[in-house]
Amino acid sequence: MQTQGIFLSWIVVKDLPKAIKFYTEVAGLQLKEYHEQFGWAELSGPNGSSLGIGQENNDDPIKAGQNAVVTITVDNIEEAKTHFAKKGAHLIGETIEIPGHVKLQTFIDTDGNKLQLVENLMVD
């Protein structure tokens, strides 16, 4: 497993279109991706990493207003899951796959912070 970096942090919101409006009109970010069917948007400025915005979902333990989720992008999520678990991280739930986009695995670090491992599936 090789870590590639931290490229995305994301938040959960109750109203995705309202949040997109806030982050574009108030924060001045540009909408880069919007996937209504997945309840997901990504925004960024001209420099730096991206902010993901996810629609609150009853199946997800992360609720609007709780925290931002930092993602760690890896080249192989299965290897990363094994590595992180052996080193004391607690994996939460199953790996989620958005076909053709990403695989996601939520985990809790040794201090109780929730983060996610991400493997990009998109071919450049």
Side-chain angles (χ1 to χ4, degrees):
M1 178 229 37
Q2 182 169 349
T3 300
Q4 297 174 359
I6 296 174
F7 304 109
L8 172 77
S9 295
W10 64 276
I11 58 174
V12 175
V13 298
K14 292 182 184 217
D15 184 333
L16 187 58
K18 182 179 176 183
I20 290 170
K21 184 175 180 177
F22 175 85
Y23 284 101
T24 56
E25 295 180 7
V26 177
L29 298 175
Q30 294 179 335
L31 182 63
K32 301 294 185 178
E33 291 185 41
Y34 180 44
H35 302 282
E36 186 175 2
Q37 70 274 29
F38 298 125
W40 180 257
E42 287 185 26
L43 304 102
S44 69
N47 302 307
S49 62
S50 295
L51 172 66
I53 303 175
Q55 179 67 50
E56 187 173 68
N57 179 330
N58 290 335
D59 296 333
D60 195 329
I62 301 168
K63 300 298 178 200
Q66 287 187 339
N67 68 323
V69 177
V70 175
T71 65
I72 300 173
T73 302
V74 297
D75 62 346
N76 184 307
I77 201 163
E78 293 304 320
E79 289 179 9
K81 285 169 46 178
T82 301
H83 174 77
F84 275 63
K86 284 182 181 177
K87 298 295 183 178
H90 176 69
L91 303 178
I92 303 295
E94 300 295 321
T95 300
I96 298 167
E97 182 172 343
I98 308 297
H101 292 278
V102 294
K103 289 183 181 179
L104 308 163
Q105 176 65 56
T106 301
F107 72 94
I108 297 176
D109 71 8
T110 55
D111 286 311
N113 297 299
K114 289 181 185 172
L115 296 95
Q116 266 184 343
L117 297 171
V118 174
E119 178 183 341
N120 288 318
L121 302 176
M122 296 172 44
V123 178
D124 293 326

